[in-house]
Amino acid sequence: MPIYKLTTTILLFSMSLFMSCSTDDAEVVIEKISYEVLLESQLSYYEEEKIPKQYQVFTSQEDWLAFIPTIERVNPDRAKTLRNISFDFNNNNLIIVIGEFFNSCCSQITINQIFKRNNKIIINFEESEPGMAGALSQTYLVLKTSRSRQHQ
């Protein structure tokens, strides 16, 4: 194959690769979001109906109250506390981060970063291994983020 055909082929391939990547990258806008930890605690319950490791972002009190039965199903006392939380949904988002269910207590959740990508709030977090105490537990955090454009 002559060198000019090889060069042209490589150039065309590189351009198509660059164009496809740049289109995807243009759609992904990342905005760091500052947050405040409102509550850090443990759920303690039998492992029959585990709550999966997750995070949820709530923009209204109605959505938050609709989620509370998930907690109430496994820990009614904790659900009552969370149901009665005083929160300004007009200016803030409420986030709950729930760690893994462990047969020993207690793990700790660390928030690495909260950011917005494609208009969706993403929480990057990790959880430590639990200690040696023999208690069924699941760590959770309740966070607040402002709906205004605050950067961390």
Side-chain angles (χ1 to χ4, degrees), residues 65-79:
L65 292 176
F67 177 77
I68 294 298
T70 303
I71 304 293
E72 191 170 42
R73 175 174 47 87
V74 298
N75 193 318
D77 292 335
R78 194 66 67 201

Side-chain angles (χ1 to χ4, degrees), residues 27-39:
E27 294 174 10
V28 177
V29 176
I30 296 178
E31 174 187 340
K32 290 184 180 179
I33 298 174
S34 61
Y35 64 92
E36 179 183 337
V37 176
L38 299 178
L39 180 63

Side-chain angles (χ1 to χ4, degrees), residues 10-29:
I10 291 172
L11 182 61
L12 289 173
F13 177 75
S14 297
M15 285 177 56
S16 68
L17 183 63
F18 175 75
M19 287 173 50
S20 67
C21 289
S22 64
T23 302
D24 292 342
D25 290 344
E27 294 174 10
V28 177
V29 176

Side-chain angles (χ1 to χ4, degrees), residues 89-104:
F89 283 99
N90 292 324
N91 297 308
N92 303 292
N93 295 314
L94 185 70
I95 299 170
I96 189 163
V97 180
I98 301 174
E100 290 188 45
F101 181 89
F102 290 106
N103 289 324
S104 55

Side-chain angles (χ1 to χ4, degrees), residues 58-62 86-94 144-148:
F58 302 95
T59 58
S60 72
Q61 184 170 7
E62 293 77 23
S86 177
F87 192 78
D88 176 13
F89 283 99
N90 292 324
N91 297 308
N92 303 292
N93 295 314
L94 185 70
K144 174 176 96 171
T145 63
S146 175
R147 291 196 185 176
S148 67

